[in-house]
Every structure is written in structure tokens, then in C-alpha cells.
Amino acid sequence: MPLSASRAENFRDLVQDSVERLERRWPQLADVDFVVLDVPGTQEETVPLGRAVSAEKGRPAQIVVYRRPVEIRTKNRDERALLVHEVVVEQVAELLGLAPESVDPRYGQE
């Protein structure tokens, strides 16, 4: 198995772990698609780590986490897991119209 495939799989696992932690408190997240993309498709001044897309007719809401920008900002798996969770919490908060601390009371404290 190529190294990049296993890194991508490990990253998806981190996102899934974060989603599962939040779904216990926010069951409506079961209707949201969580997606991992390597990089954002746009050339923005600051590279986003994730984004939230509201539901539209025929398409569920979606939260995207960008793997490469997160990996570049972290040194190891523990840091990566923390940053992934922060990104997921921030995007869920945006989608739900809440403060990140309301989505996960431990936000920013880990």
C-alpha cells in the first residue's frame, strides 16, 4: 500500500473519530456528509482547513476537511487529531449557527 494512501486513510479515521464524538451530543449531524479532500480547489489568500456547505434541495449539508493544510500545520498524530477536531467543531458550529464552545465545551482547551 502506498504511503500516501495510508496517511489519507489515517486522516479520514481522525475525522470520523471527531464526528462520532460530536454525534453523541448532536444527533442531527447524522444527516451531514463529512468529506476529506487533499486541498481546497480555490486559490485563496489564506488556505482554509475546512468549510461548511449548507444543505440544498436534493443535497445534504456537507463539512469538508482539507487534509494537506492540516498535515502541514501539525508535527505528529496527536497534534493532527487535535487540529482535526477543532476544524470539525468550527465547521459544525458554522453550519448550526452556534459558537464552537456550544458544539463542544472542551473546544480550545485540549
Side-chain angles (χ1 to χ4, degrees):
M1 177 186 302
L3 178 61
S4 61
S6 65
R7 283 176 44 190
E9 289 170 3
N10 288 338
F11 192 88
R12 278 193 296 276
D13 289 345
L14 293 176
V15 171
Q16 187 59 41
D17 290 347
S18 182
V19 171
E20 288 172 2
R21 283 171 57 185
L22 294 176
E23 279 181 335
R24 288 192 278 279
R25 183 168 181 178
W26 302 97
Q28 64 265 48
L29 294 179
D31 297 330
V32 176
D33 285 344
F34 288 83
V35 178
V36 173
L37 297 177
D38 281 344
V39 294
T42 59
Q43 298 298 320
E44 299 177 35
E45 195 168 308
T46 59
V47 177
L49 302 180
R51 79 183 163 112
V53 181
S54 299
E56 292 180 3
K57 187 176 181 179
R59 185 184 53 74
Q62 186 179 68
I63 290 178
V64 180
V65 180
Y66 298 111
R67 182 175 66 87
R68 292 295 300 142
V70 170
E71 287 180 339
I72 288 168
R73 288 167 177 78
T74 56
K75 294 183 184 87
N76 57 48
R77 189 178 197 286
D78 290 342
E79 281 185 16
R80 197 165 300 122
L82 285 174
L83 185 54
V84 163
H85 188 66
E86 281 188 11
V87 171
V88 170
V89 168
E90 289 167 1
Q91 300 311 315
V92 166
E94 183 175 320
L95 195 64
L96 300 178
L98 299 169
E101 298 80 16
S102 298
V103 173
D104 183 349
R106 294 183 315 239
Y107 173 79
Q109 297 177 8
E110 295 182 54

